[in-house]
C-alpha cells in the first residue's frame, strides 16, 4: 500500500495527474534476495524491475551484483550510442 501511495503522490506532485493503479497487481516476493551493504540498492532495484517486467525468475544474490553492475553499465553505454 505504501508503494502504491508513493506512486500516486509522485504522479500528482510531478505531473499533476492521478495515476491509476487499477490494472496493477501488487504482491510481495517472500524469498527475494537482499543486499548485504549500503550501496547496491540501485542494482537490486533495477534487477527486480527487470524481473517484474519480463517475468524472469529472481535467481541472483549479493554475490552476483558486481557482474550485474558491469553488465548494466555496458548496456547503458551501448544504448547511449544510439
Amino acid at each position: 500500500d505504501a508503494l502504491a501511495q508513493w506512486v500516486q503522490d509522485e504522479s500528482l506532485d510531478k505531473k499533476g495527474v492521478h495515476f491509476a493503479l487499477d490494472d496493477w497487481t501488487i504482491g510481495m516476493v517472500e524469498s527475494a534476495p537482499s543486499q548485504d551493504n549500503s550501496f547496491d540498492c540501485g542494482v537490486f532495484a533495477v534487477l527486480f524491475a527487470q524481473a517484474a517486467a519480463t517475468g524472469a525468475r529472481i535467481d541472483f544474490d549479493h554475490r552476483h551484483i558486481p557482474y550485474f553492475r558491469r553488465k548494466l553499465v555496458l548496456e547503458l553505454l551501448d544504448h547511449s550510442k544510439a
Side-chain angles (χ1 to χ4, degrees), residues 1-19:
D1 291 340
L3 180 58
Q5 187 62 54
W6 177 83
V7 169
Q8 290 177 331
D9 292 345
E10 283 294 299
S11 180
L12 282 173
D13 181 54
K14 304 296 189 284
K15 297 189 174 196
V17 296
H18 174 74
F19 190 91

Side-chain angles (χ1 to χ4, degrees), residues 3 9-11 19 22 24 29 35-37 41 45 52-53 62-64 69 73 75 78:
L3 180 58
D9 292 345
E10 283 294 299
S11 180
F19 190 91
D22 301 333
W24 283 35
V29 178
Q35 66 190 76
D36 64 347
N37 57 41
C41 54
H62 69 278
R63 296 171 298 170
H64 302 110
R69 181 182 291 108
V73 167
E75 289 173 357
D78 186 50

Side-chain angles (χ1 to χ4, degrees), residues 35-47 62 65-66 69:
Q35 66 190 76
D36 64 347
N37 57 41
S38 62
F39 51 85
D40 285 334
C41 54
V43 179
F44 273 85
V46 169
L47 294 173
H62 69 278
I65 296 304
R69 181 182 291 108

